[in-house]
Amino acid sequence: SQAHDVWGTGVNTTGWAVFAITDFAIGGLTKAPDAQVEVIVEPKLSSGRPEVSHLSKVLYGSTSGVFDLHIYLPADSSAVTVNLYDHCSWQEPGELIFTTRYDLADCPAEQSATQGCALAWQEPVELPPLLAAKQFRPWHPWAASPGERSARLLGYHATGAEMVSRVRVASRRGVGVQFEDVSRDPARFALGRIQNDAIETQLFFAEAGSVFPEALHGLWWMDQRGVSLKDGPYPSDPEYTQVCLGAAEENLISFGEASWDNETRCASGVRQYSGGPLSGHWTWFDESGNGESKPWSSGADWILKYEFCFSSDDFDQIDVRTKITNDALGEITLPTFATMVRTSWGWDRVTTIPDAPAKLTEFLKTASIDLGLADWVQAKFGPGYGDFAASGFACHYPLRQVVDGTGKRTDAYSEYLAYVNMQTECEEAASNAPETGAGGRSSSEGWRCRDEGDAGAAK
């Protein structure tokens, strides 16, 4: 059956804009610079917020090219300063080539929401000393005379439906929109409510026809309790079983805000505890009915990102790489403890000891059962870890696609919906029911993580 074009139709765009620097060109240089652009977002004075800087990728040895730097701007932004640099690793961000400032009020509100404002800066420039010392020659057609140095930047500014359209185009090309999540200010960083039965309109997803591999398209249910196996094994894979009863109170994952790199074969920038203002990557249970998620709150101070990297040429195996940011050490990549294996029904999500040899895991499994290691691990580290030990430190759960890359609901959607809408009376999580807060209520709505900004209340 034909799918509906539902991508992004249910998101709330109030209080946000997207700003981008796309193309650049400089003329007059015989030695091409390592070009990089910086966008500094200036908040309104009344907001009390500091400026926030965003950097593009570096285009090495380039006199022209595409930066593809797209940024979400909160409503309290007043202007942006754009700096074009010759990147230098020992003097970051480098030697300034060109700078300009753009007042966001210069784009009429109606135009920004319906067609966006195309931006272009082009003029001769007087280069700084380090670049001026290099040899020049006419390079670009709009370099009017021999030896003239010139710079050109192109971009856009959009809000409303036009913003969603621009973000969608970027997503289809595997370009994620940047947003500031380093400060993790509780006053502006919150969970946003979504309707469980409208996820294909309220969560961005990797689309059919995009650069993302088909195996990442759509929306995926993390069935950590094996609910979809409650009536027996999958007919196409009768040997598959869920291993380990421990489960987190999280529901869906998507790649609609991720970036894709064809060379590394990685989908990157997937956040568990943060997400863009319009969608987000990860959803959680509303445990109390009042917009509360203990698992999300416990990790809200982490700047944690995932890379989903295909490790096989058949695109049927993924290493899930975890990165955390530490104030003292910067960004750290943890040993790979999570993998995914493609199956006839979705993905088998596996949690293991990183790089553990088979003999070690078999020994640990035996020791857990025969020597009581599992009981000790559970007492030491808490519920769920005993199962991990008893399994030989290899837990499995199914990852089921509930919406495909065209926005169409799959056969697994009804099972997902019945599970997340389940009203329970238990006070503690069971292996087959969502955890509930005081009063034994679970909400018929879920939550995604999003940066709200001062202008927006949590949805």
Side-chain angles (χ1 to χ4, degrees):
S1 62
Q2 187 175 5
H4 299 290
D5 188 10
V6 296
W7 198 97
T9 56
V11 301
N12 184 358
T13 62
T14 303
W16 289 94
V18 65
F19 175 86
I21 296 296
T22 55
D23 304 67
F24 91 100
I26 55 175
L29 293 177
T30 55
K31 182 178 180 181
D34 297 333
Q36 185 177 37
V37 71
E38 175 189 37
V39 174
I40 301 173
V41 182
E42 304 173 23
K44 294 177 181 177
L45 292 176
S46 59
S47 73
R49 290 195 198 175
E51 294 181 341
V52 176
S53 175
H54 298 266
L55 287 171
S56 73
K57 59 188 176 185
V58 179
L59 300 179
Y60 292 96
S62 302
T63 52
S64 65
V66 179
F67 285 124
D68 248 345
L69 177 62
H70 305 254
I71 304 165
Y72 284 121
L73 303 180
D76 62 5
S77 304
S78 61
V80 295
T81 297
V82 182
N83 298 318
L84 178 62
Y85 289 99
D86 183 6
H87 173 76
C88 180
S89 60
W90 54 268
Q91 184 187 353
E92 294 187 355
E95 187 76 7
L96 183 66
I97 297 175
F98 172 73
T99 185
T100 188
R101 185 175 183 276
Y102 169 67
D103 191 329
L104 298 174
D106 289 345
C107 183
E110 182 177 354
Q111 180 178 343
S112 69
T114 56
Q115 63 187 65
C117 290
L119 308 176
W121 299 273
Q122 176 178 318
E123 60 183 76
V125 296
E126 183 173 339
L127 295 174
L130 286 181
L131 287 177
K134 299 177 182 178
Q135 183 180 2
F136 298 109
R137 64 172 173 78
W139 172 79
H140 204 274
W142 37 260
S145 60
E148 181 181 276
R149 283 80 68 188
S150 50
R152 179 188 187 193
L153 288 172
L154 300 180
Y156 70 83
H157 170 209
T159 59
E162 182 62 19
M163 169 173 55
V164 175
S165 177
R166 302 277 184 139
V167 171
R168 182 179 189 178
V169 170
S171 174
R172 291 179 66 86
R173 293 190 291 106
V175 178
V177 181
Q178 291 192 18
F179 55 91
E180 195 277 320
D181 68 344
V182 175
S183 67
R184 308 308 291 268
D185 182 354
R188 64 192 292 258
F189 205 77
L191 292 173
R193 186 180 292 275
I194 63 169
Q195 299 291 330
N196 285 335
D197 200 19
I199 55 175
E200 64 269 47
T201 70
Q202 296 182 345
L203 294 173
F204 295 162
F205 53 87
E207 291 187 83
S210 70
V211 298
F212 288 92
E214 181 273 335
L216 297 181
H217 290 176
L219 297 172
W220 294 84
W221 173 28
M222 296 176 280
D223 184 11
Q224 297 187 27
R225 292 186 171 85
V227 174
S228 59
L229 291 162
K230 67 181 184 300
D231 295 327
Y234 304 128
S236 63
D237 191 0
E239 300 300 318
Y240 182 79
T241 58
Q242 179 211 13
V243 180
C244 296
L245 294 178
E249 304 310 317
E250 49 196 19
N251 296 319
L252 298 171
I253 183 174
S254 75
F255 300 90
E257 287 194 325
S259 299
W260 172 255
D261 188 319
N262 275 320
E263 293 185 7
T264 63
R265 302 190 298 194
C266 291
S268 61
V270 179
R271 272 89 155 171
Q272 187 172 13
Y273 298 109
S274 68
L278 306 185
S279 173
H281 312 262
W282 219 277
T283 74
W284 309 80
F285 275 114
D286 179 7
E287 295 175 330
S288 68
N290 297 316
E292 297 172 334
S293 168
K294 288 181 288 186
W296 179 81
S297 297
S298 67
D301 291 333
W302 290 85
I303 304 174
L304 189 152
K305 302 175 184 177
Y306 293 107
E307 289 183 346
F308 291 74
C309 299
F310 286 86
S311 56
S312 69
D313 293 336
D314 293 330
F315 287 79
D316 58 3
Q317 296 182 46
I318 290 177
D319 290 335
V320 184
R321 301 171 185 169
T322 306
K323 295 186 175 185
I324 60 173
T325 300
N326 178 276
D327 290 339
L329 301 177
E331 190 172 75
I332 303 170
T333 300
L334 302 180
T336 300
F337 60 85
T339 59
M340 293 164 55
V341 179
R342 195 75 163 112
T343 68
S344 58
W345 42 262
W347 288 96
D348 175 23
R349 168 68 165 75
V350 187
T351 303
T352 60
I353 298 177
D355 302 319
K359 287 186 178 180
L360 173 61
T361 58
E362 187 59 34
F363 166 77
L364 292 172
K365 183 175 181 178
T366 301
S368 296
I369 297 172
D370 296 342
L371 303 179
L373 176 61
D375 294 334
W376 180 87
V377 170
Q378 176 127 337
K380 186 75 172 176
F381 298 102
Y385 289 93
D387 292 330
F388 188 38
S391 72
F393 294 88
C395 290
H396 298 252
Y397 73 79
L399 198 65
R400 306 293 310 278
Q401 187 189 52
V402 293
V403 174
D404 69 16
T406 68
K408 179 184 176 182
R409 298 176 178 183
T410 69
D411 293 340
Y413 189 93
S414 59
E415 290 180 292
Y416 144 79
L417 190 61
Y419 172 63
V420 295
N421 282 346
M422 184 189 305
Q423 299 296 313
T424 66
E425 299 299 330
C426 56
E427 292 294 331
E428 295 184 2
S431 63
N432 63 347
E435 182 177 346
T436 63
R441 296 186 296 122
S442 65
S443 174
S444 62
E445 296 176 299
W447 289 83
R448 64 172 179 264
C449 187
R450 59 188 284 189
D451 183 347
E452 287 296 335
D454 291 342
K459 299 298 179 183

